[in-house]
Amino acid sequence: MVGTDGRSEVRVPSIANWKLYDSAAEGLREYWYPVAQSAAIGRRPTHVKLCGQDIVLVRDSRLFALEDRCPHRCVPFSGGGTPAVAKRDFAGHLTCRYHGWVFELESGRLAAALTDGPDSPIVGKVHVRTYPVQERCGMVWLWPGEGEPSVPVEADIPEELLAADARVYSRSSPRRGNWRYATENGFDESHAKYLHRDSIWAWFRKIPSFNTMTLFIEPDGKWLSRGKSDIHFQQDYPGLGRWPHYHRLKVMKHPSSMKSSATSVRLPGILRVPYPGWSIFEWYVPVDARTHQYVQVNARWTNSLAARLRWWAYYTFLIRNVQHRFLNNQDAWMIGIMPDSHPERFFRPDASITAWRRLVETTARDFHGIVEATAAMAN
Amino acid sequence: MVGTDGRSEVRVPSIANWKLYDSAAEGLREYWYPVAQSAAIGRRPTHVKLCGQDIVLVRDSRLFALEDRCPHRCVPFSGGGTPAVAKRDFAGHLTCRYHGWVFELESGRLAAALTDGPDSPIVGKVHVRTYPVQERCGMVWLWPGEGEPSVPVEADIPEELLAADARVYSRSSPRRGNWRYATENGFDESHAKYLHRDSIWAWFRKIPSFNTMTLFIEPDGKWLSRGKSDIHFQQDYPGLGRWPHYHRLKVMKHPSSMKSSATSVRLPGILRVPYPGWSIFEWYVPVDARTHQYVQVNARWTNSLAARLRWWAYYTFLIRNVQHRFLNNQDAWMIGIMPDSHPERFFRPDASITAWRRLVETTARDFHGIVEATAAMAN
Amino acid sequence: MVGTDGRSEVRVPSIANWKLYDSAAEGLREYWYPVAQSAAIGRRPTHVKLCGQDIVLVRDSRLFALEDRCPHRCVPFSGGGTPAVAKRDFAGHLTCRYHGWVFELESGRLAAALTDGPDSPIVGKVHVRTYPVQERCGMVWLWPGEGEPSVPVEADIPEELLAADARVYSRSSPRRGNWRYATENGFDESHAKYLHRDSIWAWFRKIPSFNTMTLFIEPDGKWLSRGKSDIHFQQDYPGLGRWPHYHRLKVMKHPSSMKSSATSVRLPGILRVPYPGWSIFEWYVPVDARTHQYVQVNARWTNSLAARLRWWAYYTFLIRNVQHRFLNNQDAWMIGIMPDSHPERFFRPDASITAWRRLVETTARDFHGIVEATAAMAN
């Protein structure tokens, strides 16, 4: 149980005390991450960066992921911003454009060095690293850790999204800022009550000023949730006066004013926000220490054709425009202007952030490896 | 008396021998600096950078200056190049857009954390640094030093500019290059005699080739001035021939050819050049180690309406176009292409520069603090 | 004899074992390099960068090259990207625009400090470094080493280009990537057989798949050449099938399919590729550790007017467009995307590269100086 009552002032240990979390600037590696839309990856080698690693995706008989670097002279297969360097001379293989080294997609093994002839003695002696890759929910999932995945991809996708009746729309965009700031912003108890107050989403909704927060782990042991009680609206602040001022058009209930709506977070950095009848899931995928990929998945559960049509229209016209453009862009704005490293001074609602950090510190898969590596470096 | 006769070759100690001066790459902090035009600062939080410090200016009942960083999650109040992050929910206060922390402008004290309710225990326990700020001569003056200013703002503004009959026009522009190169260029004895020779300002004026220089401290103990005698025009240079060649239209006297005109410099980096009937003052305000703000103040002293009109026209049509665009831009050009650090080889006229460095070394307000800090770092 | 039979797998020592080569990231200094077209250098001071050194070229009675930095305040004579700072007040001299220091082009000696008068005691006590410079084949050749050149410029220009009947066209362009990658790419045995396979140059030519390589030093002791034998075309590759597939329009002989055509390389980084009736010479001139200047010289030997006209047309319409734009740009592409430093894994055809490295290691003019300096730094 990592929860707190949310009403005692939080004295946060400096970030140096979060050994694992502090060392994970480029992300936690022993997890599956969504790195691309399935429909976007075809026969053309495509570059993605995940946890600081350059990776090339290419579709053949199935989807493959390889280290984006020919071991001969180190040119990137993807071209590194120039046209793709890898060619597809043989099915199931990738050829480096520079000298004709042919790699088997399945194993990463050098299958031929064309310009050294069929008897080239280097064949079979060189390998390119391959990455485990899967496709689910219309997206490509990649395992950036060393060796074989310790869990199947389903272990890292919220099971709601894998349900047969899930109707899913997803979008993705690159964003400035470390993935941890983005995750913390997502689960942050208080920012929605101020930052998003003037978003279009809130024009007709009364956003509360504050509430009591309860933090708890869901029965599945994965999600950390924060519940609300004692929801307050207009208040008198000593020396300042009443706040906020609601105009008369604010007649709708805002999700953050509903006790039933509990926002949740889980490793390696996934947010879940339930709305009436549908939910948003957000991934903050680590690209490198200064950049992350924001992946938004919107889901509704239904098999009825009429409901699916309404959901399509609701997503296409309302969510995609209003939610993403205005509300999520406010988050991206703040995450993008937070300095790379800085002191921090927490207040009571930040108990949500410290609970999240504690969750990472105590349950992350690669906990021991990273902390031992950190300790070794310190000695 | 820091003057020299200006006619013995100067052997300059390397810049490492100027302990204080060498350590002051980001400026001398215990001084008032002009950082903005008063008219440009309104209710919208505006960023300025001074001596390496990010500061936000905002006008309420009066003008205020605060550290441009919310202590909670370190977002800049000014937005750091994005739209302003600070809002103005309550008179006399600034609210951080991210989580609704409200700071009192006068004291920098956290007056409320809106999203933690009226009883938030953090209220009063957090402060943002405030900076002393004043308005004089139509400009905003800021004290970047620690603690209370040791002198009133008037101590750092030339008293001529504070006179009741002073008619002042000022302009300002950001420039590449360290503030010390800019100040040295301003007081530099010889550059005007070559660099500015082909400026529009000199089309009809005979610029001398060289003169004897006398350096002396003015009776007020603040200004270091350089006087001229033995002003030479065309000369024979061994092996090269006669120089310069004056065309017949050069019939006017150039200020640098007049004994009466003594250019002066004072701390923390202010230049004064008297012209017949008016004067130019220049500030080289340290932004960071590589950039400064060039502030030019043109003044004439009169209460007569006719004289004021003539001065307005003279400034608007002549000074602003000819002086600023051509002559001052030549200075900016040189200062901007000087490398960040470099060896230097001085000649006789550079006695003006070494006298200026000695003035800083021996009279700067924060002399002891900086040198002690430097010594501590060296040990 | 540095050749190998080219058919045993090459185990390359890591680049750290090439002491001189590894230390020569900014180039070998004791050589003459082509740095500009003669026609491009006039009275206006022009900047070039060679082996990490900023140099200014200027034409007076003859061509001169000086260090691009006034020793007084270190402004670059060339202006460093701004208009030229140096002026030409006196024949045979260059005047620094800032304070009127006049330097003799021939010796670099300070001939006058105009603004300090004819009796300035600094005259003759300051020198700017001058560089040996020559003009041959329509280009400017510069010696970036310390002191007097140990060889005449002719020693570093292939003698074919100095022949009386040589008709030479040259072009030059700045390129990303270290000069060593560019030289290695030029002499690389195998890349032409894969990278250039789809260039326009190869549309109607059958490029072989591989051959046996013989490496040998030419009788002049300067050029390292690689000869071909056992030239193979379509082959069966185990597990992959036949490669390459030639379409029926490929009816011409490709140079790389001709035994007679031996590509050669020599210090400090010059490539020679003979074609029937003409040759290409390429220089990979070190600018700094990350950039080089690609200089291409195309030559034919004839005194006949008709042959010269045909050569002009052949160069202008065919070589310049097809060869340079397509084939050479493929090389520039690969060199530009190779990372600054990286591991490498060689295969048999890379014997050409290791032979070249060995040639540098054992015969470079400044071998002892650089290796001693490297050893001294390591101790």
Side-chain angles (χ1 to χ4, degrees):
Chain A
M1 171 62 187
V2 301
T4 77
D5 72 355
R7 305 249 31 123
S8 56
E9 195 191 357
V10 183
R11 302 216 167 266
V12 186
S14 107
I15 195 157
N17 292 52
W18 306 99
K19 281 191 190 172
L20 166 62
Y21 199 66
D22 190 26
S23 68
E26 293 198 336
L28 302 164
R29 296 199 170 194
E30 306 291 315
Y31 288 85
W32 291 92
Y33 288 97
V35 294
Q37 298 285 332
S38 280
I41 308 302
R43 289 179 50 82
R44 171 191 294 271
T46 304
H47 173 260
V48 296
K49 192 163 192 172
L50 177 63
C51 297
Q53 300 173 64
D54 289 298
I55 298 167
V56 63
L57 298 177
V58 66
R59 193 179 295 281
D60 195 86
S61 57
R62 63 166 180 92
L63 188 71
F64 294 96
L66 289 84
E67 182 181 359
D68 190 16
R69 188 176 67 86
C70 175
H72 178 212
R73 298 289 274 171
C74 292
V75 296
F77 292 124
S78 70
T82 70
V85 162
K87 294 182 74 179
R88 310 292 298 279
D89 294 314
F90 308 98
H93 295 78
L94 200 84
T95 311
C96 176
R97 176 84 171 243
Y98 200 176
H99 298 87
W101 285 27
V102 182
F103 296 93
E104 193 185 40
L105 289 167
E106 188 70 45
S107 62
R109 175 182 169 274
L110 182 66
L114 296 176
T115 55
D116 193 26
D119 70 338
S120 176
I122 203 172
V123 169
K125 295 187 186 151
V126 175
H127 286 78
V128 168
R129 179 175 173 186
T130 59
Y131 288 88
V133 65
Q134 295 285 347
E135 293 183 89
R136 294 288 186 286
C137 306
M139 291 188 293
V140 175
W141 301 79
L142 205 143
W143 175 272
E146 297 284 337
E148 283 304 298
S150 56
V151 297
V153 66
E154 288 79 7
D156 286 341
I157 306 179
E159 59 187 7
E160 304 98 302
L161 295 179
L162 297 168
D165 61 345
R167 303 298 153 209
V168 166
Y169 294 107
S170 61
R171 40 193 358 221
S172 166
S173 49
R175 288 193 175 170
R176 286 179 53 192
N178 189 269
W179 71 276
R180 295 172 297 191
Y181 294 159
T183 311
E184 293 178 355
N185 174 82
F187 193 57
D188 175 335
E189 144 78 13
S190 73
H191 82 281
K193 300 196 180 64
Y194 195 83
L195 175 65
H196 298 319
R197 187 165 290 278
D198 63 354
S199 70
I200 287 189
W201 204 244
W203 277 4
F204 307 106
R205 289 174 166 85
K206 274 191 182 172
I207 298 189
S209 52
F210 71 101
N211 53 250
T212 298
M213 171 174 56
T214 319
L215 292 157
F216 55 93
I217 301 288
E218 299 278 354
D220 65 2
K222 290 184 167 179
W223 292 103
L224 166 67
S225 296
R226 56 173 166 80
K228 303 179 194 73
S229 56
D230 302 321
I231 297 174
H232 298 268
F233 290 84
Q234 206 175 47
Q235 296 288 318
D236 264 312
Y237 287 80
L240 297 175
R242 292 190 79 71
W243 183 86
H245 302 281
Y246 298 113
H247 60 71
R248 70 173 70 176
L249 293 175
K250 289 192 184 283
V251 293
M252 295 160 71
K253 277 200 161 181
H254 189 273
S256 68
S257 69
M258 288 175 278
K259 284 191 190 178
S260 58
S261 141
T263 296
S264 310
V265 71
R266 59 177 269 191
L267 276 72
I270 316 175
L271 192 76
R272 181 181 64 192
V273 186
Y275 287 87
W278 59 286
S279 290
I280 288 188
F281 296 81
E282 299 183 1
W283 271 259
Y284 314 102
V285 182
V287 172
D288 54 29
R290 301 186 138 196
T291 326
H292 65 283
Q293 187 77 13
Y294 171 72
V295 177
Q296 186 191 66
V297 179
N298 301 275
R300 187 180 183 93
W301 295 266
T302 177
N303 284 319
S304 131
L305 184 63
R308 287 166 66 175
L309 271 172
R310 279 198 305 275
W311 173 226
W312 170 82
Y314 189 74
Y315 171 74
T316 303
F317 299 110
L318 198 61
I319 298 178
R320 200 168 64 177
N321 289 292
V322 177
Q323 172 102 7
H324 198 72
R325 286 216 193 129
F326 296 90
L327 196 139
N328 300 133
N329 284 357
Q330 290 181 325
D331 293 323
W333 176 25
M334 289 299 130
I335 297 158
I337 61 177
M338 286 172 74
D340 284 340
S341 77
H342 59 79
E344 57 190 7
R345 182 67 158 90
F346 279 178
F347 72 144
R348 280 194 302 199
D350 291 326
S352 55
I353 294 178
T354 45
W356 152 249
R357 291 185 186 176
R358 213 173 298 129
L359 182 70
V360 174
E361 205 67 22
T362 53
T363 70
R365 262 176 221 145
D366 44 5
F367 175 65
H368 294 292
I370 290 193
V371 172
E372 278 162 20
T374 311
M377 281 189 294
N379 292 331
Chain B
M1 172 62 187
V2 299
T4 76
D5 72 355
R7 302 243 40 117
S8 56
E9 195 191 355
V10 182
R11 302 216 167 265
V12 185
S14 109
I15 195 155
N17 292 49
W18 306 98
K19 282 191 190 172
L20 166 62
Y21 198 66
D22 190 26
S23 67
E26 292 199 336
L28 301 164
R29 296 198 169 195
E30 307 291 316
Y31 288 85
W32 291 93
Y33 288 97
V35 294
Q37 299 284 334
S38 280
I41 308 301
R43 290 179 49 82
R44 170 192 294 271
T46 304
H47 173 261
V48 295
K49 191 162 193 172
L50 178 63
C51 297
Q53 299 173 67
D54 289 298
I55 298 167
V56 63
L57 297 177
V58 65
R59 192 178 295 282
D60 194 86
S61 57
R62 64 164 178 94
L63 188 72
F64 293 96
L66 289 85
E67 182 180 358
D68 189 17
R69 189 175 67 87
C70 175
H72 178 211
R73 297 289 273 172
C74 293
V75 296
F77 291 125
S78 69
T82 70
V85 162
K87 295 183 72 178
R88 310 291 299 277
D89 294 314
F90 308 98
H93 295 78
L94 200 84
T95 310
C96 176
R97 177 84 171 243
Y98 200 178
H99 298 88
W101 285 28
V102 182
F103 296 93
E104 193 185 41
L105 288 168
E106 188 70 44
S107 63
R109 175 183 170 274
L110 182 66
L114 296 176
T115 56
D116 194 27
D119 70 337
S120 176
I122 203 172
V123 168
K125 294 186 187 152
V126 174
H127 286 78
V128 168
R129 178 175 173 186
T130 59
Y131 288 88
V133 65
Q134 295 285 347
E135 293 182 89
R136 294 290 186 285
C137 306
M139 292 189 291
V140 175
W141 301 78
L142 204 143
W143 175 271
E146 297 285 337
E148 282 305 298
S150 56
V151 297
V153 66
E154 289 79 6
D156 286 341
I157 305 180
E159 59 187 7
E160 305 97 304
L161 295 180
L162 298 168
D165 61 346
R167 304 296 153 211
V168 166
Y169 294 107
S170 62
R171 42 195 355 224
S172 167
S173 50
R175 288 191 176 171
R176 285 181 52 192
N178 189 268
W179 72 276
R180 293 172 299 190
Y181 294 159
T183 311
E184 292 179 355
N185 175 82
F187 193 57
D188 176 335
E189 145 77 13
S190 74
H191 81 283
K193 298 195 182 66
Y194 195 83
L195 176 64
H196 297 319
R197 187 165 289 279
D198 64 354
S199 71
I200 287 188
W201 203 245
W203 277 3
F204 307 107
R205 289 175 166 85
K206 275 192 184 173
I207 299 190
S209 52
F210 71 101
N211 53 250
T212 297
M213 170 174 58
T214 318
L215 293 158
F216 54 93
I217 301 288
E218 300 277 355
D220 65 3
K222 290 185 168 178
W223 292 102
L224 166 68
S225 296
R226 53 174 168 81
K228 303 179 194 71
S229 55
D230 301 321
I231 297 175
H232 298 269
F233 289 85
Q234 206 175 45
Q235 295 287 319
D236 264 313
Y237 287 80
L240 297 175
R242 293 190 78 72
W243 183 87
H245 302 280
Y246 297 113
H247 60 71
R248 71 173 69 176
L249 293 175
K250 290 193 182 283
V251 294
M252 296 161 70
K253 275 200 164 181
H254 189 272
S256 68
S257 69
M258 288 177 277
K259 284 193 193 179
S260 58
S261 141
T263 296
S264 309
V265 70
R266 60 177 269 192
L267 275 71
I270 316 175
L271 192 77
R272 180 181 64 192
V273 186
Y275 287 87
W278 59 286
S279 289
I280 287 187
F281 297 80
E282 298 184 1
W283 271 259
Y284 314 102
V285 181
V287 171
D288 54 30
R290 302 185 138 198
T291 327
H292 66 283
Q293 187 77 13
Y294 171 71
V295 177
Q296 186 192 64
V297 179
N298 300 275
R300 188 180 182 93
W301 294 268
T302 177
N303 284 321
S304 131
L305 184 62
R308 286 165 67 174
L309 271 172
R310 277 197 307 275
W311 172 227
W312 170 84
Y314 189 75
Y315 172 75
T316 302
F317 297 111
L318 198 61
I319 297 178
R320 200 168 64 176
N321 288 292
V322 177
Q323 172 103 6
H324 197 72
R325 286 217 191 129
F326 295 90
L327 196 139
N328 300 134
N329 283 358
Q330 290 180 325
D331 294 323
W333 177 25
M334 290 299 130
I335 297 158
I337 62 177
M338 286 171 75
D340 285 341
S341 77
H342 60 77
E344 57 190 6
R345 182 67 159 87
F346 279 179
F347 72 144
R348 280 194 303 200
D350 291 327
S352 55
I353 293 178
T354 45
W356 151 249
R357 290 186 186 176
R358 213 172 299 128
L359 180 71
V360 174
E361 206 66 21
T362 53
T363 70
R365 261 175 221 145
D366 44 5
F367 175 66
H368 293 293
I370 289 193
V371 173
E372 277 163 20
T374 310
M377 281 188 293
N379 293 330
Chain C
M1 172 61 187
V2 301
T4 78
D5 73 354
R7 304 241 40 115
S8 56
E9 196 191 354
V10 184
R11 302 217 167 266
V12 186
S14 108
I15 195 156
N17 292 51
W18 306 99
K19 281 191 190 173
L20 166 62
Y21 199 66
D22 191 27
S23 68
E26 292 198 336
L28 301 164
R29 296 200 170 193
E30 307 291 315
Y31 288 86
W32 291 92
Y33 288 96
V35 295
Q37 298 285 333
S38 280
I41 308 302
R43 289 178 50 82
R44 170 191 294 272
T46 303
H47 173 261
V48 296
K49 192 162 193 172
L50 178 63
C51 297
Q53 301 173 64
D54 290 298
I55 297 168
V56 63
L57 297 177
V58 66
R59 194 179 293 282
D60 195 85
S61 57
R62 64 165 179 92
L63 188 72
F64 293 96
L66 289 84
E67 182 181 358
D68 190 17
R69 189 175 67 86
C70 176
H72 178 210
R73 297 290 272 170
C74 292
V75 294
F77 292 124
S78 70
T82 71
V85 163
K87 294 182 76 179
R88 309 292 298 279
D89 294 314
F90 307 99
H93 294 78
L94 200 82
T95 311
C96 175
R97 177 83 172 243
Y98 200 177
H99 298 87
W101 286 27
V102 182
F103 296 93
E104 192 184 41
L105 288 168
E106 187 70 45
S107 62
R109 175 181 169 275
L110 182 67
L114 296 176
T115 56
D116 194 26
D119 70 338
S120 175
I122 203 172
V123 168
K125 294 186 187 152
V126 175
H127 286 78
V128 169
R129 178 175 174 186
T130 59
Y131 287 87
V133 64
Q134 294 286 346
E135 293 182 89
R136 294 289 186 285
C137 306
M139 292 189 291
V140 175
W141 301 78
L142 205 143
W143 175 272
E146 297 284 336
E148 283 304 299
S150 56
V151 297
V153 66
E154 288 80 7
D156 285 341
I157 305 181
E159 58 188 7
E160 305 96 304
L161 294 179
L162 298 168
D165 61 345
R167 302 298 153 211
V168 166
Y169 294 107
S170 61
R171 42 196 354 225
S172 166
S173 50
R175 288 192 175 169
R176 285 180 54 193
N178 189 269
W179 72 276
R180 293 172 299 189
Y181 294 159
T183 310
E184 292 179 354
N185 174 83
F187 193 58
D188 176 335
E189 144 78 13
S190 74
H191 82 282
K193 299 195 181 65
Y194 195 83
L195 176 66
H196 297 320
R197 189 165 288 278
D198 65 353
S199 70
I200 286 189
W201 204 245
W203 276 4
F204 307 107
R205 288 175 166 86
K206 274 191 184 171
I207 298 189
S209 53
F210 71 101
N211 54 249
T212 297
M213 170 174 57
T214 319
L215 293 157
F216 55 93
I217 300 288
E218 300 277 355
D220 66 0
K222 291 184 167 179
W223 291 102
L224 166 67
S225 297
R226 54 174 167 80
K228 302 180 195 71
S229 55
D230 300 321
I231 297 175
H232 298 268
F233 290 84
Q234 205 175 45
Q235 296 287 319
D236 263 311
Y237 286 81
L240 297 175
R242 293 190 78 72
W243 183 88
H245 303 280
Y246 298 113
H247 60 72
R248 70 174 70 176
L249 293 175
K250 288 192 185 282
V251 293
M252 296 161 71
K253 276 200 164 182
H254 189 273
S256 69
S257 70
M258 288 175 278
K259 284 192 192 178
S260 57
S261 141
T263 296
S264 310
V265 71
R266 60 177 269 192
L267 274 73
I270 317 176
L271 192 77
R272 179 182 64 191
V273 186
Y275 286 88
W278 58 284
S279 290
I280 288 187
F281 296 81
E282 299 184 0
W283 270 258
Y284 313 102
V285 182
V287 172
D288 54 31
R290 301 186 137 196
T291 327
H292 66 283
Q293 187 77 12
Y294 171 72
V295 176
Q296 185 191 65
V297 179
N298 301 275
R300 188 181 183 93
W301 295 267
T302 177
N303 285 318
S304 131
L305 184 62
R308 288 166 66 176
L309 271 172
R310 279 198 305 274
W311 172 227
W312 170 83
Y314 190 75
Y315 171 74
T316 304
F317 298 111
L318 196 63
I319 298 178
R320 200 168 64 177
N321 289 292
V322 177
Q323 172 102 7
H324 197 72
R325 286 215 193 130
F326 295 90
L327 197 139
N328 301 135
N329 283 357
Q330 290 180 325
D331 294 322
W333 176 24
M334 289 299 129
I335 298 159
I337 63 178
M338 285 171 75
D340 285 340
S341 77
H342 60 78
E344 58 190 5
R345 181 70 159 87
F346 279 179
F347 72 145
R348 280 194 303 198
D350 291 327
S352 55
I353 294 178
T354 46
W356 152 250
R357 290 186 185 175
R358 213 173 298 128
L359 181 71
V360 174
E361 205 67 21
T362 53
T363 70
R365 260 177 222 144
D366 44 5
F367 175 66
H368 293 294
I370 290 192
V371 173
E372 278 162 20
T374 311
M377 280 189 294
N379 293 329

